[in-house]
Amino acid sequence: ATLSIIGLAALGVTSLTTNALFTNTDTTGQSGFVAGTVVIDSTPTDFAIDESVGAAPGDTFYAPVVVRNDGTLQLRYSIELGASEDSDDAVLDELTYSVLEGVTAANCAAGNVSAGVELGSGVLGNGQHWIGDATPGENDGDRELDSGASETLCVGLEFSKDAGDDVQGARAGLSFTFHAEQTANNP
């Protein structure tokens, strides 16, 4: 009888150690973290100078440039202006640019810029020009745009009334580079 009791006890211990064990794991979904974006976009500038007529000394042309923040973060930006000419005729020394804020696109295109505030100006032949500064952080002249916001800048191009015969038929191009950075945590 003792041997039967020991055998049943051994069988009970064996069955306790071979039972299956239920387990479960759970992996949570996305944490909700999404990095923001800094995306600046602008419209091309066209001074609409009729090539069959051309610009005469003393003419001033205006064109609107719309700058948009297509990103999710507020941004600050600076503007780098560059110019090029098709020949060595020094026409850039005869062209003065100006960039204004506070002028609607329609008024800018029509040359009605008296309500505008000048952000910067200069003779294009004097090299690169800046409004603001591309150095990281807040700098004098930098512009800010909230996410989804836009602003219209009015760009003027004045052909010197004292331009000489040596620039007749000369061509020049004006380029804008917009340098943008986040404003959050970026003093």
Side-chain angles (χ1 to χ4, degrees), residues 14-35:
T14 304
S15 67
L16 285 175
T17 59
T18 60
N19 282 343
L21 181 63
F22 292 121
T23 62
N24 188 5
T25 58
D26 184 28
T27 304
T28 60
Q30 287 182 303
S31 68
F33 176 82
V34 177

Side-chain angles (χ1 to χ4, degrees), residues 26 28 40 46 52 54 64 73 76 90 101 106 114 119 124 136 143 145 174 182:
D26 184 28
T28 60
I40 192 166
D46 183 4
S52 67
L73 300 174
R76 88 173 50 94
E101 69 174 342
S114 60
L119 300 175
L124 287 174
R143 315 278 306 155
L145 279 177
L174 182 61
Q182 72 187 42

Side-chain angles (χ1 to χ4, degrees), residues 113-130:
V113 299
S114 60
V117 175
E118 187 176 278
L119 300 175
S121 66
V123 175
L124 287 174
N126 293 340
Q128 292 296 103
H129 301 273
W130 287 87

